[in-house]
Amino acid sequence: MNNEWEVVEPGSLEGTQTTRKSLTYWQDVWRRLRQNVMAMTGLVMIVIIALLAIFGPMWTPYSYSDQSLALANIPISYEITHIKDDIYVYVHREYKLFRMEADGTIVEALKETERNTTQSYMMYDIDGVEVKFDYSSARANSSSNVMQDKYDLYVDGVLIDKYDTTKVYNKSYLLGTDSLGRDILTRVLYGARISLTVGLVASLVNLFIGVLYGGIAGYEGGKLDNIMMRIVDIINSVPLLLIVIMLMVIIEPGLKTIIITIGAVYWVGMARLVRGQVLSLKEQEFVLAARALGVSKGKIIVRHLIPNAIGPIVVSMMMAIPSAIFTEAFLSFMGLGISAPEASWGTLASDALGGIRSYPYQLAVPSIAIAVTMFAFNFLGDGLRDALDPRLRK
Amino acid sequence: MARYVVKRLFSMIVTLLIISALTFGLMHSIPGGPFTSERELAPEIEAALMEKYGLDQPLYQQYLTYIGNLLKGDLGVSMKKTGVTVNDMISQGLPTSAKVGMIAVCVILFMGIPIGIISALKQNSIIDHIVMFIATIGIAVPSFVVGTFMMYVFGELLGLIPAGGLSGWNSYIGPVVALSGFSLAYVTRLMRSSMLEVLRQDYIRTARANGLNQFKVIGKHALKNALIPVVTYVGPMVASILTGSFVVEKIFALPGMGTHFTESVTNRDYTVIMSITLFYAAVYIFMVLLVDIAYAVIDPRIKLSD
């Protein structure tokens, strides 16, 4: 009989096998998350923001509450005028003169030696150089948005070219100062701490209260489930903001109360989600097996049911962070959150509202900070959802 | 169906009662009352005031009186603004809030849903990318930033819209954009993702295979199923647009409900806090009920039995 089969040398087929290292669930999730550029950008951004929040306020030379009214409302970049030798001045929109260095460092707020309001001029003495700041043209050009149209500068009695200015960036206060002369950079970094703390607490509360509450309600079922879910319904049927505002009033505003209120309310969605998951999981065989082996209720919930629902839990936790940060900013903006002199992004934005026409940068800085953080968490959340979805597993 | 609605309305009343009791209890546990002010009041005057507003009675008595009046449709008198009833405040503030809110809701529904569908149909095209980019921005930027930005750029710099108040049609642009921004972005994203999910289903392939045109496939078969997650979101959204308008009302100086509410909270104006909270809660619960009914209309598989 003709044998068409050939004997293969041992080991000769090893190279052709299509083997792949077997990955655990989390390794696979991480592998897919890494391929998602947006999600990784978000993750890197979050790490950077967290590092800045923790260490940032340490290396800025100011504290978040340091005030100096003389240095109020100084923008991020300005036009400085050369007076003489190494003397530069910056004419502030509020008709104040600052002595500058050529690179944009603020030396001091100048004090006028003479102030003549009828003739509309002020005299300054800078290291023996007499500077006359004449703002008599201000009224005629009041509609102009260019500061230079509104004044004339005389050095030792000679009119100098006021349009001959150089644009420099603020070296003393990188992001300018607010209406009380506080460093905005320090305050924004400090605000990042508050926002991230709030986000972190919201996600932890979600994890501990929400997951356990939902797990117990779902596993126990029956009357207990009914009562527990009615409580959730009641909390859920009052607009979240209303509860938070009411609670903020009882306990006085501050970071601690924001954390308590957000903690009191934010677990509701998670509880529902977990209950739904547990309801379908508890009918499966592995739970029956565990029960047959005599595993206790608590252990079944914590060790068997919750790990099986971990995907949606992680995504929901991730999404709770930006929404908590949003709520905090919103409350602080309404004046119900962090109180002065502490700074959060919401209060910074709210403080900037009054001066929005003259100093839009004061609003722009915290707004950008909020938006960037939101982007980061949303991108990471979206990426995690895709990575954890077993249907998209390749 | 009718039985279900009646049952739900009943549980709505129970929920509202619980909320009112909670609010009442919380409110009275706040240190300080409506008559605490910088200037010390003479004890006789204070006592007279307390008596006038019934604050001298025991708490449960006050609560029962309040509920009794509420059932008669009387929401009480403001303790801070002499002679102004809460009914007045609501009838004065609600039209403004409702008008701006309703326009915002219309914008969200009539822009968000179609844009989401188009984005899903043209997945990974340039249109899809642009839409998703704008929608992500919409989710990331808080409404108070959008509001101030609108006011600053279009109001101050370009002079296109008035800076505050509601005078002409163009004064609605700012508040509506600020109010609808987040939800519009959210609905668009939700619509897109649920549409993509539905388009992958077998029955859509069957419908296509049977030679139905694109319009019928999308409009008749896909849309109904894809709408369910959107409907879930839209109900509470409508209510929270009414409540969330605090900020927008503050920025654009609109004489709406939100202004009254925040004022009353800081003033400890008991009756106003109580009534506006209940009002909002009622609107909210009612919207959730509407959503549940809408489910049954859209998806006949869902039975309103419980």
Side-chain angles (χ1 to χ4, degrees):
Chain A
M1 202 169 102
N2 199 2
N3 187 359
E4 290 185 9
W5 303 96
E6 264 175 63
V7 178
V8 176
E9 292 290 314
S12 68
L13 283 178
E14 263 171 25
T16 60
Q17 270 167 355
T18 51
T19 50
R20 191 158 68 165
K21 216 175 76 196
S22 83
L23 294 171
T24 64
Y25 179 60
W26 288 109
Q27 281 171 329
D28 188 46
V29 166
W30 173 237
R31 183 182 63 83
R32 271 184 291 156
L33 191 67
R34 248 184 348 207
Q35 286 165 355
N36 189 335
V37 181
M38 291 304 246
M40 286 318 278
T41 318
L43 185 64
V44 170
M45 266 153 64
I46 291 168
V47 171
I48 293 175
I49 294 168
L51 288 177
L52 279 177
I54 298 168
F55 300 111
M58 293 179 195
W59 57 253
T60 56
Y62 311 95
S63 127
Y64 69 90
S65 58
D66 279 351
Q67 295 182 11
S68 56
L69 283 175
L71 297 173
N73 292 327
I74 297 177
I76 300 171
S77 75
Y78 31 58
E79 307 275 335
I80 57 172
T81 317
H82 186 212
I83 298 290
K84 205 175 192 180
D85 302 331
D86 63 339
I87 303 172
Y88 292 83
V89 294
Y90 157 54
V91 182
H92 194 269
R93 301 182 67 110
E94 288 166 7
Y95 301 95
K96 288 188 292 190
L97 263 61
F98 292 91
R99 179 159 176 199
M100 291 291 171
E101 282 188 16
D103 67 345
T105 315
I106 301 166
V107 179
E108 59 178 337
L110 292 167
K111 192 100 188 77
E112 68 271 11
T113 48
E114 187 196 340
R115 174 179 216 126
N116 190 327
T117 39
T118 43
Q119 303 274 319
S120 308
Y121 70 82
M122 286 184 255
M123 301 299 287
Y124 292 90
D125 180 69
I126 312 170
D127 286 352
V129 181
E130 188 197 66
V131 176
K132 181 181 171 194
F133 174 65
D134 182 348
Y135 56 94
S136 49
S137 54
R139 187 158 307 178
N141 294 315
S142 62
S143 60
S144 164
N145 217 12
V146 182
M147 193 57 201
Q148 275 97 322
D149 294 344
K150 302 186 186 178
Y151 64 86
D152 287 304
L153 278 176
Y154 298 87
V155 176
D156 289 332
V158 186
L159 177 66
I160 61 160
D161 183 5
K162 61 187 173 182
Y163 292 104
D164 181 22
T165 56
T166 25
K167 188 179 167 125
V168 288
Y169 286 94
N170 194 336
K171 292 280 177 344
S172 306
Y173 300 95
L174 291 178
L175 293 179
T177 60
D178 68 2
S179 57
L180 292 173
R182 294 176 292 204
D183 182 31
I184 291 183
L185 176 65
T186 314
R187 288 175 72 73
V188 165
L189 290 175
Y190 190 83
R193 279 187 183 183
I194 291 188
S195 293
L196 291 185
T197 315
V198 167
L200 196 73
V201 170
S203 66
L204 288 181
V205 166
N206 243 335
L207 188 65
F208 287 108
I209 305 183
V211 170
L212 277 183
Y213 193 96
I216 293 170
Y219 187 73
E220 285 293 331
K223 229 174 209 164
L224 185 70
D225 177 35
N226 229 331
I227 295 169
M228 285 174 93
M229 281 301 121
R230 269 294 103 75
I231 295 174
V232 166
D233 277 348
I234 288 175
I235 297 180
N236 210 34
S237 63
V238 189
L240 180 132
L241 216 74
L242 227 55
I243 305 182
V244 178
I245 289 176
M246 292 296 302
L247 283 174
M248 291 309 279
V249 176
I250 301 158
I251 340 172
E252 65 218 45
L255 178 60
K256 211 170 68 192
T257 39
I258 288 201
I259 288 176
I260 294 174
T261 46
I262 286 181
V265 181
Y266 259 80
W267 53 272
V268 173
M270 178 67 97
R272 283 203 161 152
L273 182 119
V274 174
R275 174 180 170 266
Q277 294 278 331
V278 167
L279 274 183
S280 66
L281 282 173
K282 75 171 178 185
E283 304 299 336
Q284 292 189 17
E285 283 80 2
F286 69 91
V287 180
L288 192 67
R291 229 185 293 168
L293 286 170
V295 182
S296 69
K297 261 183 205 168
K299 238 182 181 168
I300 290 182
I301 294 176
V302 175
R303 297 290 299 276
H304 297 276
L305 292 174
I306 292 171
N308 273 294
I310 200 77
I313 291 175
V314 169
V315 172
S316 160
M317 226 174 88
M318 206 60 218
M319 290 305 187
I321 297 176
S323 93
I325 293 178
F326 233 82
T327 310
E328 184 277 322
F330 180 86
L331 285 170
S332 296
F333 183 82
M334 295 298 293
L336 290 163
I338 307 291
S339 43
E342 281 188 274
S344 95
W345 292 339
T347 47
L348 286 178
S350 163
D351 290 346
L353 263 193
I356 175 81
R357 285 166 125 183
S358 311
Y359 315 109
Y361 69 93
Q362 291 181 0
L363 179 71
V365 172
S367 310
I368 291 170
I370 298 174
V372 167
T373 314
M374 289 297 138
F375 273 131
F377 277 107
N378 274 310
F379 285 149
L380 183 60
D382 282 349
L384 265 180
R385 185 172 46 210
D386 292 347
L388 288 166
D389 190 346
R391 280 175 302 176
L392 296 174
R393 200 169 177 179
K394 278 171 214 146
Chain B
M1 179 83 171
R3 250 193 78 197
Y4 173 78
V5 173
V6 170
K7 209 172 164 188
R8 281 293 296 265
L9 282 175
F10 180 74
S11 82
M12 180 175 156
I13 292 169
V14 174
T15 314
L16 281 178
L17 273 177
I18 295 173
I19 293 170
S20 72
L22 277 178
T23 316
F24 197 82
L26 286 179
M27 198 170 64
H28 283 272
S29 63
I30 311 169
F35 308 117
T36 324
S37 60
E38 260 134 72
R39 224 162 31 127
E40 194 88 14
L41 280 177
E44 304 88 61
I45 299 180
E46 202 180 338
L49 278 172
M50 296 289 256
E51 199 193 328
K52 183 179 171 200
Y53 293 107
L55 291 174
D56 54 343
Q57 286 161 348
L59 265 190
Y60 74 92
Q61 188 70 45
Q62 290 183 38
Y63 179 68
L64 290 181
T65 320
Y66 179 82
I67 295 295
N69 286 336
L70 186 68
L71 291 179
K72 284 182 239 150
D74 175 14
L75 291 172
V77 187
S78 164
M79 295 181 181
K80 273 292 184 180
K81 296 178 179 162
T82 334
V84 181
T85 64
V86 182
N87 294 38
D88 285 344
M89 282 186 180
I90 291 180
S91 63
Q92 200 186 68
L94 188 62
T96 313
S97 298
K99 229 190 291 173
V100 177
M102 279 303 147
I103 297 174
V105 170
C106 289
V107 168
I108 292 165
L109 294 182
F110 293 115
M111 277 179 74
I113 293 176
I115 293 176
I117 294 173
I118 292 169
S119 194
L121 291 179
K122 310 238 180 239
Q123 194 191 6
N124 292 331
S125 70
I126 189 90
I127 301 174
D128 183 34
H129 287 306
I130 294 173
V131 167
M132 279 302 104
F133 180 71
I134 296 174
T136 313
I137 293 181
I139 284 180
V141 182
S143 64
F144 58 83
V145 173
V146 178
T148 358
F149 181 79
M150 287 292 292
M151 206 171 73
Y152 178 63
V153 174
F154 293 97
E156 301 280 346
L157 295 186
L158 303 175
L160 289 177
I161 52 175
L166 285 178
S167 40
W169 65 270
N170 52 0
S171 58
Y172 283 93
I173 299 174
V176 167
V177 171
L179 209 52
S180 56
F182 178 85
S183 301
L184 177 58
Y186 197 88
V187 165
T188 309
R189 283 168 58 121
L190 206 60
M191 193 65 221
R192 175 179 177 271
S193 59
S194 77
M195 197 67 180
L196 282 177
E197 186 95 36
V198 168
L199 285 178
R200 261 189 247 135
Q201 304 287 328
D202 292 342
Y203 62 84
I204 296 295
R205 198 172 344 118
T206 312
R208 287 229 167 97
N210 280 338
L212 291 187
N213 61 28
Q214 176 79 340
F215 188 76
K216 259 195 175 151
V217 172
I218 302 301
K220 206 169 167 198
H221 296 269
L223 185 62
K224 263 190 173 177
N225 289 288
L227 266 180
I228 291 176
V230 178
V231 170
T232 320
Y233 175 72
V234 165
M237 178 202 83
V238 173
S240 70
I241 275 188
L242 278 176
T243 41
S245 58
F246 295 165
V247 160
V248 175
E249 283 174 17
K250 182 183 169 187
I251 295 172
F252 290 95
L254 304 181
M257 292 269 290
T259 330
H260 288 309
F261 185 70
T262 29
E263 233 175 54
S264 68
V265 168
T266 37
N267 280 345
R268 303 269 189 280
D269 200 336
Y270 289 153
T271 36
V272 183
I273 301 182
M274 186 78 191
S275 305
I276 296 188
T277 308
L278 273 183
F279 180 79
Y280 276 140
V283 172
Y284 194 86
I285 298 173
F286 188 67
M287 289 317 299
V288 175
L289 174 64
L290 279 188
V291 167
D292 285 351
I293 295 172
Y295 275 149
V297 174
I298 295 174
D299 187 347
R301 282 172 306 179
I302 298 172
K303 287 203 182 75
L304 300 176
S305 52
D306 183 36

